[in-house]
PDB file of all heavy atoms in Angstrom:
ATOM      1  N   MET A 884      -8.672  -8.839   6.484  1.00  0.00           N
ATOM      2  CA  MET A 884      -8.994  -8.480   5.108  1.00  0.00           C
ATOM      3  C   MET A 884      -8.113  -7.344   4.612  1.00  0.00           C
ATOM      4  O   MET A 884      -7.714  -7.316   3.438  1.00  0.00           O
ATOM      5  CB  MET A 884     -10.472  -8.093   5.001  1.00  0.00           C
ATOM      6  CG  MET A 884     -10.919  -7.780   3.573  1.00  0.00           C
ATOM      7  SD  MET A 884     -10.723  -9.190   2.441  1.00  0.00           S
ATOM      8  CE  MET A 884     -12.215 -10.118   2.824  1.00  0.00           C
ATOM      9  N   PHE A 885      -7.776  -6.410   5.506  1.00  0.00           N
ATOM     10  CA  PHE A 885      -6.887  -5.312   5.127  1.00  0.00           C
ATOM     11  C   PHE A 885      -5.535  -5.849   4.671  1.00  0.00           C
ATOM     12  O   PHE A 885      -4.997  -5.439   3.631  1.00  0.00           O
ATOM     13  CB  PHE A 885      -6.691  -4.344   6.298  1.00  0.00           C
ATOM     14  CG  PHE A 885      -5.593  -3.334   6.061  1.00  0.00           C
ATOM     15  CD1 PHE A 885      -5.796  -2.248   5.231  1.00  0.00           C
ATOM     16  CD2 PHE A 885      -4.356  -3.487   6.662  1.00  0.00           C
ATOM     17  CE1 PHE A 885      -4.778  -1.338   4.991  1.00  0.00           C
ATOM     18  CE2 PHE A 885      -3.339  -2.587   6.439  1.00  0.00           C
ATOM     19  CZ  PHE A 885      -3.554  -1.501   5.599  1.00  0.00           C
ATOM     20  N   LEU A 886      -4.965  -6.782   5.432  1.00  0.00           N
ATOM     21  CA  LEU A 886      -3.673  -7.362   5.069  1.00  0.00           C
ATOM     22  C   LEU A 886      -3.756  -8.135   3.750  1.00  0.00           C
ATOM     23  O   LEU A 886      -2.840  -8.074   2.921  1.00  0.00           O
ATOM     24  CB  LEU A 886      -3.171  -8.281   6.183  1.00  0.00           C
ATOM     25  CG  LEU A 886      -2.764  -7.616   7.494  1.00  0.00           C
ATOM     26  CD1 LEU A 886      -2.290  -8.665   8.503  1.00  0.00           C
ATOM     27  CD2 LEU A 886      -1.659  -6.583   7.261  1.00  0.00           C
ATOM     28  N   ILE A 887      -4.859  -8.849   3.555  1.00  0.00           N
ATOM     29  CA  ILE A 887      -5.046  -9.613   2.324  1.00  0.00           C
ATOM     30  C   ILE A 887      -5.145  -8.669   1.121  1.00  0.00           C
ATOM     31  O   ILE A 887      -4.507  -8.880   0.086  1.00  0.00           O
ATOM     32  CB  ILE A 887      -6.304 -10.500   2.419  1.00  0.00           C
ATOM     33  CG1 ILE A 887      -6.093 -11.589   3.476  1.00  0.00           C
ATOM     34  CG2 ILE A 887      -6.628 -11.136   1.065  1.00  0.00           C
ATOM     35  CD1 ILE A 887      -7.352 -12.359   3.826  1.00  0.00           C
ATOM     36  N   LYS A 888      -5.946  -7.607   1.267  1.00  0.00           N
ATOM     37  CA  LYS A 888      -6.095  -6.638   0.174  1.00  0.00           C
ATOM     38  C   LYS A 888      -4.771  -5.965  -0.144  1.00  0.00           C
ATOM     39  O   LYS A 888      -4.422  -5.757  -1.311  1.00  0.00           O
ATOM     40  CB  LYS A 888      -7.133  -5.571   0.553  1.00  0.00           C
ATOM     41  CG  LYS A 888      -8.574  -6.034   0.482  1.00  0.00           C
ATOM     42  CD  LYS A 888      -9.495  -4.868   0.798  1.00  0.00           C
ATOM     43  CE  LYS A 888     -10.961  -5.270   0.658  1.00  0.00           C
ATOM     44  NZ  LYS A 888     -11.865  -4.132   0.969  1.00  0.00           N
ATOM     45  N   LYS A 889      -4.026  -5.641   0.901  1.00  0.00           N
ATOM     46  CA  LYS A 889      -2.742  -4.969   0.702  1.00  0.00           C
ATOM     47  C   LYS A 889      -1.789  -5.877  -0.072  1.00  0.00           C
ATOM     48  O   LYS A 889      -1.087  -5.417  -0.979  1.00  0.00           O
ATOM     49  CB  LYS A 889      -2.135  -4.597   2.057  1.00  0.00           C
ATOM     50  CG  LYS A 889      -0.862  -3.774   1.956  1.00  0.00           C
ATOM     51  CD  LYS A 889      -0.384  -3.344   3.333  1.00  0.00           C
ATOM     52  CE  LYS A 889       0.885  -2.507   3.238  1.00  0.00           C
ATOM     53  NZ  LYS A 889       1.380  -2.106   4.579  1.00  0.00           N
ATOM     54  N   GLU A 890      -1.785  -7.167   0.245  1.00  0.00           N
ATOM     55  CA  GLU A 890      -0.882  -8.096  -0.439  1.00  0.00           C
ATOM     56  C   GLU A 890      -1.321  -8.304  -1.887  1.00  0.00           C
ATOM     57  O   GLU A 890      -0.483  -8.392  -2.785  1.00  0.00           O
ATOM     58  CB  GLU A 890      -0.845  -9.442   0.304  1.00  0.00           C
ATOM     59  CG  GLU A 890       0.336 -10.296  -0.078  1.00  0.00           C
ATOM     60  CD  GLU A 890       1.672  -9.641   0.215  1.00  0.00           C
ATOM     61  OE1 GLU A 890       1.795  -8.900   1.214  1.00  0.00           O
ATOM     62  OE2 GLU A 890       2.608  -9.869  -0.575  1.00  0.00           O
ATOM     63  N   PHE A 891      -2.625  -8.349  -2.133  1.00  0.00           N
ATOM     64  CA  PHE A 891      -3.107  -8.532  -3.499  1.00  0.00           C
ATOM     65  C   PHE A 891      -2.860  -7.298  -4.372  1.00  0.00           C
ATOM     66  O   PHE A 891      -2.973  -7.371  -5.592  1.00  0.00           O
ATOM     67  CB  PHE A 891      -4.596  -8.880  -3.513  1.00  0.00           C
ATOM     68  CG  PHE A 891      -4.873 -10.357  -3.433  1.00  0.00           C
ATOM     69  CD1 PHE A 891      -5.572 -10.892  -2.362  1.00  0.00           C
ATOM     70  CD2 PHE A 891      -4.410 -11.210  -4.423  1.00  0.00           C
ATOM     71  CE1 PHE A 891      -5.815 -12.260  -2.284  1.00  0.00           C
ATOM     72  CE2 PHE A 891      -4.654 -12.575  -4.358  1.00  0.00           C
ATOM     73  CZ  PHE A 891      -5.351 -13.107  -3.283  1.00  0.00           C
ATOM     74  N   SER A 892      -2.539  -6.152  -3.748  1.00  0.00           N
ATOM     75  CA  SER A 892      -2.210  -4.950  -4.523  1.00  0.00           C
ATOM     76  C   SER A 892      -0.781  -4.998  -5.051  1.00  0.00           C
ATOM     77  O   SER A 892      -0.387  -4.184  -5.882  1.00  0.00           O
ATOM     78  CB  SER A 892      -2.402  -3.694  -3.660  1.00  0.00           C
ATOM     79  OG  SER A 892      -1.386  -3.595  -2.674  1.00  0.00           O
ATOM     80  N   MET A 893       0.017  -5.959  -4.563  1.00  0.00           N
ATOM     81  CA  MET A 893       1.402  -6.088  -5.015  1.00  0.00           C
ATOM     82  C   MET A 893       1.435  -6.612  -6.458  1.00  0.00           C
ATOM     83  O   MET A 893       0.619  -7.441  -6.842  1.00  0.00           O
ATOM     84  CB  MET A 893       2.180  -7.051  -4.107  1.00  0.00           C
ATOM     85  CG  MET A 893       2.227  -6.639  -2.645  1.00  0.00           C
ATOM     86  SD  MET A 893       3.018  -5.038  -2.408  1.00  0.00           S
ATOM     87  CE  MET A 893       2.782  -4.818  -0.630  1.00  0.00           C
ATOM     88  N   PRO A 894       2.400  -6.129  -7.251  1.00  0.00           N
ATOM     89  CA  PRO A 894       2.495  -6.580  -8.648  1.00  0.00           C
ATOM     90  C   PRO A 894       2.781  -8.077  -8.791  1.00  0.00           C
ATOM     91  O   PRO A 894       2.435  -8.682  -9.781  1.00  0.00           O
ATOM     92  CB  PRO A 894       3.664  -5.758  -9.206  1.00  0.00           C
ATOM     93  CG  PRO A 894       3.772  -4.583  -8.299  1.00  0.00           C
ATOM     94  CD  PRO A 894       3.372  -5.083  -6.950  1.00  0.00           C
ATOM     95  N   TYR A 895       3.442  -8.676  -7.771  1.00  0.00           N
ATOM     96  CA  TYR A 895       3.796 -10.090  -7.884  1.00  0.00           C
ATOM     97  C   TYR A 895       3.546 -10.806  -6.567  1.00  0.00           C
ATOM     98  O   TYR A 895       3.893 -10.301  -5.501  1.00  0.00           O
ATOM     99  CB  TYR A 895       5.271 -10.246  -8.260  1.00  0.00           C
ATOM    100  CG  TYR A 895       5.751 -11.698  -8.207  1.00  0.00           C
ATOM    101  CD1 TYR A 895       5.506 -12.576  -9.250  1.00  0.00           C
ATOM    102  CD2 TYR A 895       6.416 -12.182  -7.076  1.00  0.00           C
ATOM    103  CE1 TYR A 895       5.918 -13.895  -9.194  1.00  0.00           C
ATOM    104  CE2 TYR A 895       6.832 -13.504  -7.008  1.00  0.00           C
ATOM    105  CZ  TYR A 895       6.585 -14.357  -8.066  1.00  0.00           C
ATOM    106  OH  TYR A 895       6.991 -15.655  -8.000  1.00  0.00           O
ATOM    107  N   ILE A 896       2.905 -11.972  -6.660  1.00  0.00           N
ATOM    108  CA  ILE A 896       2.721 -12.855  -5.509  1.00  0.00           C
ATOM    109  C   ILE A 896       3.017 -14.270  -5.997  1.00  0.00           C
ATOM    110  O   ILE A 896       2.475 -14.696  -7.020  1.00  0.00           O
ATOM    111  CB  ILE A 896       1.274 -12.810  -4.963  1.00  0.00           C
ATOM    112  CG1 ILE A 896       0.819 -11.382  -4.694  1.00  0.00           C
ATOM    113  CG2 ILE A 896       1.158 -13.638  -3.683  1.00  0.00           C
ATOM    114  CD1 ILE A 896      -0.641 -11.262  -4.315  1.00  0.00           C
ATOM    115  N   PRO A 897       3.849 -15.026  -5.291  1.00  0.00           N
ATOM    116  CA  PRO A 897       4.105 -16.419  -5.687  1.00  0.00           C
ATOM    117  C   PRO A 897       2.784 -17.191  -5.769  1.00  0.00           C
ATOM    118  O   PRO A 897       1.864 -16.959  -4.977  1.00  0.00           O
ATOM    119  CB  PRO A 897       4.992 -16.949  -4.555  1.00  0.00           C
ATOM    120  CG  PRO A 897       5.670 -15.741  -4.027  1.00  0.00           C
ATOM    121  CD  PRO A 897       4.658 -14.637  -4.126  1.00  0.00           C
ATOM    122  N   GLN A 898       2.687 -18.114  -6.721  1.00  0.00           N
ATOM    123  CA  GLN A 898       1.426 -18.805  -6.976  1.00  0.00           C
ATOM    124  C   GLN A 898       0.903 -19.546  -5.754  1.00  0.00           C
ATOM    125  O   GLN A 898      -0.297 -19.507  -5.459  1.00  0.00           O
ATOM    126  CB  GLN A 898       1.596 -19.779  -8.144  1.00  0.00           C
ATOM    127  CG  GLN A 898       0.272 -20.427  -8.571  1.00  0.00           C
ATOM    128  CD  GLN A 898       0.432 -21.270  -9.817  1.00  0.00           C
ATOM    129  OE1 GLN A 898       1.509 -21.350 -10.379  1.00  0.00           O
ATOM    130  NE2 GLN A 898      -0.649 -21.902 -10.243  1.00  0.00           N
ATOM    131  N   ASP A 899       1.796 -20.217  -5.013  1.00  0.00           N
ATOM    132  CA  ASP A 899       1.332 -20.977  -3.851  1.00  0.00           C
ATOM    133  C   ASP A 899       0.811 -20.049  -2.763  1.00  0.00           C
ATOM    134  O   ASP A 899      -0.177 -20.351  -2.084  1.00  0.00           O
ATOM    135  CB  ASP A 899       2.452 -21.865  -3.304  1.00  0.00           C
ATOM    136  CG  ASP A 899       3.662 -21.078  -2.859  1.00  0.00           C
ATOM    137  OD1 ASP A 899       3.975 -20.051  -3.496  1.00  0.00           O
ATOM    138  OD2 ASP A 899       4.308 -21.474  -1.872  1.00  0.00           O
ATOM    139  N   VAL A 900       1.465 -18.886  -2.630  1.00  0.00           N
ATOM    140  CA  VAL A 900       1.012 -17.902  -1.639  1.00  0.00           C
ATOM    141  C   VAL A 900      -0.327 -17.308  -2.070  1.00  0.00           C
ATOM    142  O   VAL A 900      -1.226 -17.101  -1.247  1.00  0.00           O
ATOM    143  CB  VAL A 900       2.054 -16.785  -1.455  1.00  0.00           C
ATOM    144  CG1 VAL A 900       1.534 -15.702  -0.516  1.00  0.00           C
ATOM    145  CG2 VAL A 900       3.366 -17.360  -0.938  1.00  0.00           C
ATOM    146  N   GLU A 901      -0.463 -17.043  -3.368  1.00  0.00           N
ATOM    147  CA  GLU A 901      -1.716 -16.493  -3.894  1.00  0.00           C
ATOM    148  C   GLU A 901      -2.884 -17.427  -3.605  1.00  0.00           C
ATOM    149  O   GLU A 901      -3.971 -16.977  -3.214  1.00  0.00           O
ATOM    150  CB  GLU A 901      -1.583 -16.261  -5.395  1.00  0.00           C
ATOM    151  CG  GLU A 901      -2.820 -15.624  -6.014  1.00  0.00           C
ATOM    152  CD  GLU A 901      -2.651 -15.342  -7.489  1.00  0.00           C
ATOM    153  OE1 GLU A 901      -1.561 -15.613  -8.030  1.00  0.00           O
ATOM    154  OE2 GLU A 901      -3.615 -14.851  -8.110  1.00  0.00           O
ATOM    155  N   GLU A 902      -2.669 -18.733  -3.768  1.00  0.00           N
ATOM    156  CA  GLU A 902      -3.735 -19.703  -3.503  1.00  0.00           C
ATOM    157  C   GLU A 902      -4.125 -19.692  -2.024  1.00  0.00           C
ATOM    158  O   GLU A 902      -5.309 -19.761  -1.678  1.00  0.00           O
ATOM    159  CB  GLU A 902      -3.287 -21.106  -3.920  1.00  0.00           C
ATOM    160  CG  GLU A 902      -3.146 -21.294  -5.427  1.00  0.00           C
ATOM    161  CD  GLU A 902      -4.431 -20.985  -6.178  1.00  0.00           C
ATOM    162  OE1 GLU A 902      -5.502 -21.400  -5.698  1.00  0.00           O
ATOM    163  OE2 GLU A 902      -4.363 -20.316  -7.220  1.00  0.00           O
ATOM    164  N   LYS A 903      -3.124 -19.605  -1.147  1.00  0.00           N
ATOM    165  CA  LYS A 903      -3.403 -19.545   0.295  1.00  0.00           C
ATOM    166  C   LYS A 903      -4.180 -18.290   0.648  1.00  0.00           C
ATOM    167  O   LYS A 903      -5.122 -18.323   1.446  1.00  0.00           O
ATOM    168  CB  LYS A 903      -2.094 -19.595   1.087  1.00  0.00           C
ATOM    169  CG  LYS A 903      -1.377 -20.943   1.037  1.00  0.00           C
ATOM    170  CD  LYS A 903      -0.084 -20.901   1.834  1.00  0.00           C
ATOM    171  CE  LYS A 903       0.668 -22.222   1.742  1.00  0.00           C
ATOM    172  NZ  LYS A 903       1.964 -22.169   2.470  1.00  0.00           N
ATOM    173  N   LEU A 904      -3.776 -17.166   0.048  1.00  0.00           N
ATOM    174  CA  LEU A 904      -4.457 -15.902   0.322  1.00  0.00           C
ATOM    175  C   LEU A 904      -5.901 -15.934  -0.170  1.00  0.00           C
ATOM    176  O   LEU A 904      -6.800 -15.384   0.471  1.00  0.00           O
ATOM    177  CB  LEU A 904      -3.702 -14.741  -0.336  1.00  0.00           C
ATOM    178  CG  LEU A 904      -2.370 -14.348   0.314  1.00  0.00           C
ATOM    179  CD1 LEU A 904      -1.662 -13.301  -0.538  1.00  0.00           C
ATOM    180  CD2 LEU A 904      -2.587 -13.815   1.732  1.00  0.00           C
ATOM    181  N   LYS A 905      -6.135 -16.578  -1.304  1.00  0.00           N
ATOM    182  CA  LYS A 905      -7.502 -16.685  -1.827  1.00  0.00           C
ATOM    183  C   LYS A 905      -8.379 -17.498  -0.877  1.00  0.00           C
ATOM    184  O   LYS A 905      -9.545 -17.153  -0.641  1.00  0.00           O
ATOM    185  CB  LYS A 905      -7.489 -17.336  -3.214  1.00  0.00           C
ATOM    186  CG  LYS A 905      -6.996 -16.413  -4.316  1.00  0.00           C
ATOM    187  CD  LYS A 905      -7.011 -17.118  -5.661  1.00  0.00           C
ATOM    188  CE  LYS A 905      -6.572 -16.181  -6.775  1.00  0.00           C
ATOM    189  NZ  LYS A 905      -6.545 -16.849  -8.104  1.00  0.00           N
TER     190      LYS A 905
END
Side-chain angles (χ1 to χ4, degrees):
M884 183 61 82
F885 169 76
L886 292 180
I887 293 170
K888 285 183 177 180
K889 186 175 181 181
E890 197 60 34
F891 271 118
S892 72
M893 301 300 176
Y895 172 81
I896 308 173
Q898 186 174 358
D899 60 325
V900 175
E901 183 177 358
E902 291 303 317
K903 291 179 182 177
L904 288 173
K905 285 180 178 179

